[in-house]
Amino acid sequence: MVDRIGDIWGTRTPFGRGEKWPVRVDQKLADGLGEDDVDRWVQSACTLCSNGCACDIAVKDGRMVGVRGRAIDTVNHGRLGPKGLFGSWQGMSNGDRLTRPLIRIGGELVETDWDTAMSRIVERSRQLLADKGPLSHAFYTSGQLFLEEYYALAILGKAGIGTPHMDGNTRLCTATAAAAMKESFGADGQPGSYADIDECDAMFLFGHNMAETQTVLWARVLDRIAGPDRPRIVCIDPRETEVARVADVHLAVRPGTNQALMNGLIRELFMNGWIDEAYIAAHTIGVDRLRAVVEPWTPDAVAETCGVSVDDVREAAQIFGTSARVLSTVLQGFYQSAQATAASCQVNNMHLLRGKLGAPGSGVLQMNGQPTAQNNRECGADGDLPGFRNWENSEHVRELATLWDVDISIIAHQAPPTHAMQIFQYVEQGNIEFLWISATNPAISMPELERIRAILGQENVFLVVQDLYLTETALFADVVLPAAGWGEKTGTFTNADRTVHLSDKAVEPPGEARSDLDIFLDYSARMNFRTNSGAPLLDWAGPEDGFRAWQDCSRGRPCDYTGITYTRLRGGSGIPWPCNDEHPEGTVRLYGDGVFATEPDDCETFGHDLLTGASAGEQAFRALETHGRAVFKAAPYAPPSEEPDADFPLRYTTGRTAYQFHTRTRTGRARQLNNAAPSAWLEISVLDAGRLDIVEGDTVRVTSRRGALVVPARVSNVREGTVFAPFHYGYWDSGRPGPDGHPTAANELTMTEWDPVSKQPLFKNAAVRVEKVADGTSPSPAPTTAASRPADSGGVPVTVGGPDAEAHESTSPIKLPAVAPEQGTDAVPCMHHPQPSPVPPV
């Protein structure tokens, strides 16, 4: 038995380049249960990171009682990470789940019935539409709903109401991934595949702490490292993460200087001739401007600006420039930092310069951080148009109007769609008076939280919150709708390498909770949204109808789903899009033919200036004569707007821990995960701690120009001059919407500033000061197993899970579990379902 709290990545199964990653099936059942006690296993995939690990849910007496990985699946080959093993099912079954709608009466939230709650929503919505029009409405959603739900929301928002004010918390997480791929390749969609780990000779992780954000994917890397032909690893991260500890080169850059580093690495490729001139000439445009922009960035200049070694810069460039097969992954260390899109485009540029795209072992993964962020972007529940259509292309808008049978004028496309940061600004200004938030918690996840709490609490905004639990955000709501979650509904979702999975309904949701799809369909029906021909705008009977509608929308687009069906997804592996007549088995890698989605009539964007965010416009883009070639996008380095000074001398950055997800709505309710990382902390370097007379476990106050954080200190191996806090910890477990004198949320300190192209907030850059406020009585609650481990482990207890955190691992052949045939796709949650039978404690 393996303690999968103490050993996050599980037992090694080494393999060599070109070999198949060995199967290892991970399983966790409720205490006291064995496999023979399980009534049935129901197919799904984990939704607690963007990896998309296929799994089967164990069901007993109508309740989820465990989970195991699916051996046959291409993504995880049977493995699950700690969040999947413990948090996926336990996070759904707590006694504080929302089970009935709530409405605000006399300042208090009280239970009511669905008809009363929905009538209140519809009454306010109709009144505002009549009095002020569609610009009064906004929708802010998640990266955790199902594809069918996002598409329903996109249709009712864009074709029912006609508002441009739609976005998701994917804006905070990985909007830059989409922006960078659009700018370079013409459309969203990862060029690479997880399978490239099996084939690469070198791997670069740009601001991506894969060891904690995607634990199963890191297990795949560790197994390659343990094999006979270890790939070289380069890590760009200011912390000494597990990635850094195994890396051949660790570039611990100062936060906010990524673009300087990238310009320098590209200059080294040019200077040493590590480029493919023939590929550049045949498949790209703009190389001369790129060369000119990077010219000043010598290794010495990079070292001075970024605070790294000259030799390390040269070695990293040499590894990239001379490896036969190179894979790059990018995540929030780049996406949430200054010049996010510019730096992420430079990763694309490095691969284009060497022609390293679309072949086994060579590719880019501009990663997602959430399980269904890809679907949000594809389906248009954010600021994009569905099917990767271009809002500036009138023909694309006309296609949607025809598909939905509505007037083209109702689909807002006269100006750029409203991104999340603007949505909250418009609420603050009183322009948006109806805000519907689903499956996300901006009262903790947005920057500058004191401001966000004030916005959510304004009298003039009618706030609808749809979620599993009473989050900090829900405490501000006028109406709270209880939603069904993972395992309680049917739908599909797409992971970070475009692999589509089906999740079947395993159990009934608690009480009167309804699926997000049912809630959206109910709202659309009550609003009487109609097509031009008089039919209901959303006439779906269930999720499979929604999937078929999405197939029609995606037909012929880069994200073509027409060859994927629920039947094909049941029982087997996930399928990567595009999947159609031309690619009946799906498409593992994009752009292997060197043809990109940059034709002006097809592309998803006409491009932007990376410094200002100004749109290039259709005329200028057509003048480029791309003819299916990728575009080199370049920008000079610009320092962050907020730098350390005498009053705030340290750099502040935020991130994740392996044991929690987002604002802990689910993982904080899994005992094993919560015991491993129960509360917030601050990481500070040995030198900075010594200078400030801080030792392990001391209580410190971290102050920025916007707020403060009071937490225990972990003296760690973060780079000198930089401090780090995990962003998961808020106030819901104390019953408060805010700090009430005890600030623990990392975003109390972050600033309202965003990248000019992707509009992603800059959580990685802030200037702070740190001061000791009390002696510690015990070590920090930070885990000791990964990046937050102490610099000196003496006296700090090792993070272990104990007997209840053991998980079964099997590397022997395993029969694919049968999926219960009665798990249909059109089941509607029972509105008066009795309480489930008890099972052993979990």
Side-chain angles (χ1 to χ4, degrees), residues 231-250:
R232 289 180 289 179
I233 307 293
V234 177
C235 170
I236 295 88
D237 198 305
R239 300 167 73 209
E240 190 180 272
T241 64
E242 292 302 305
V243 177
R245 291 185 179 109
V246 303
D248 298 84
V249 179
H250 175 206

Side-chain angles (χ1 to χ4, degrees), residues 498-808:
R498 297 174 287 102
T499 301
V500 184
H501 285 109
L502 174 69
S503 181
D504 266 320
K505 182 180 177 182
V507 300
E508 295 292 337
E512 299 178 16
R514 294 180 177 179
S515 75
D516 298 273
L517 178 61
D518 286 340
I519 294 170
F520 294 146
L521 295 179
D522 185 18
Y523 171 72
S524 183
R526 289 172 183 262
M527 292 294 291
N528 197 29
F529 291 138
R530 297 274 170 175
T531 67
N532 286 338
S533 58
L537 182 64
L538 287 169
D539 59 355
W540 309 343
E544 195 161 9
D545 286 345
F547 187 82
R548 294 189 189 103
W550 168 247
Q551 286 180 304
D552 289 338
C553 184
S554 71
R555 190 182 308 277
R557 298 301 301 158
C559 54
D560 194 328
Y561 279 67
T562 52
I564 302 174
T565 64
Y566 277 26
T567 300
R568 288 194 66 191
L569 292 173
R570 282 200 174 96
S573 177
I575 300 172
W577 62 249
C579 180
N580 48 28
D581 291 342
E582 185 179 354
H583 306 284
E585 302 305 316
T587 307
V588 176
R589 299 171 184 88
L590 303 181
Y591 311 129
D593 57 0
V595 178
F596 297 88
T598 55
E599 288 291 348
D601 291 337
D602 297 324
C603 64
E604 192 178 355
T605 182
F606 294 133
H608 299 81
D609 182 281
L610 298 186
L611 279 180
T612 67
S615 174
E618 182 174 2
Q619 184 175 355
F621 188 80
R622 287 188 180 276
L624 294 176
E625 298 185 350
T626 53
H627 301 305
R629 292 176 292 174
V631 181
F632 283 116
K633 300 301 291 274
Y637 167 68
S641 63
E642 184 169 280
E643 293 271 33
D645 57 23
D647 292 328
F648 301 95
L650 296 171
R651 297 174 188 268
Y652 176 74
T653 187
T654 69
R656 300 175 184 264
T657 177
Y659 301 107
Q660 300 290 358
F661 186 62
H662 284 200
T663 62
R664 300 169 53 245
T665 308
R666 290 171 63 189
T667 53
R669 291 174 167 88
R671 184 179 69 253
Q672 301 91 338
L673 298 175
N674 207 51
N675 287 345
S679 56
W681 67 88
L682 179 87
E683 292 175 30
I684 187 169
S685 75
V686 174
L687 290 173
D688 290 325
R691 180 173 52 81
L692 296 170
D693 195 27
I694 293 168
V695 299
E696 172 70 30
D698 283 350
T699 300
V700 297
R701 177 181 290 108
V702 193
T703 307
S704 77
R705 290 177 174 85
R706 292 154 294 279
L709 185 66
V710 181
V711 291
R714 163 57 48 87
V715 181
S716 75
N717 290 313
V718 67
R719 68 163 290 138
E720 182 185 359
T722 296
V723 294
F724 167 91
F727 69 79
H728 310 287
Y729 299 92
Y731 312 104
W732 61 258
D733 40 359
S734 62
R736 306 190 309 266
D740 192 22
H742 302 279
T744 58
N747 285 320
E748 303 287 357
L749 281 66
T750 51
M751 57 181 154
T752 303
E753 183 176 341
W754 53 85
D755 179 76
V757 180
S758 68
K759 317 302 183 187
Q760 185 156 354
L762 308 187
F763 294 109
K764 303 297 186 186
N765 303 317
V768 299
R769 63 173 174 264
V770 177
E771 54 192 324
K772 177 179 173 178
V773 296
D775 291 336
T777 58
S778 62
S780 158
T784 64
T785 47
S788 50
R789 69 173 59 171
D792 179 4
S793 59
V796 180
V798 176
T799 301
V800 294
D804 69 345
E806 290 179 347
H808 176 69

Side-chain angles (χ1 to χ4, degrees), residues 29 41 326:
L29 294 175
W41 297 88
V326 61

Side-chain angles (χ1 to χ4, degrees), residues 436-452:
W436 190 323
I437 297 173
S438 52
T440 187
N441 190 14
I444 299 299
S445 60
M446 291 286 282
E448 198 174 347
L449 290 183
E450 184 176 359
R451 172 177 175 257
I452 295 299

Side-chain angles (χ1 to χ4, degrees), residues 302-317:
V302 172
E304 181 179 356
T305 299
C306 301
V308 295
S309 157
V310 170
D311 290 340
D312 284 346
V313 173
R314 290 190 173 120
E315 185 179 358

Side-chain angles (χ1 to χ4, degrees), residues 124 128 132 136-137 430-435 460-463:
R124 183 62 174 150
L128 283 170
K132 300 193 174 181
S136 62
H137 282 53
N431 298 319
I432 290 174
E433 298 182 50
F434 180 101
L435 177 61
N460 67 298
V461 62
F462 184 87
L463 180 62

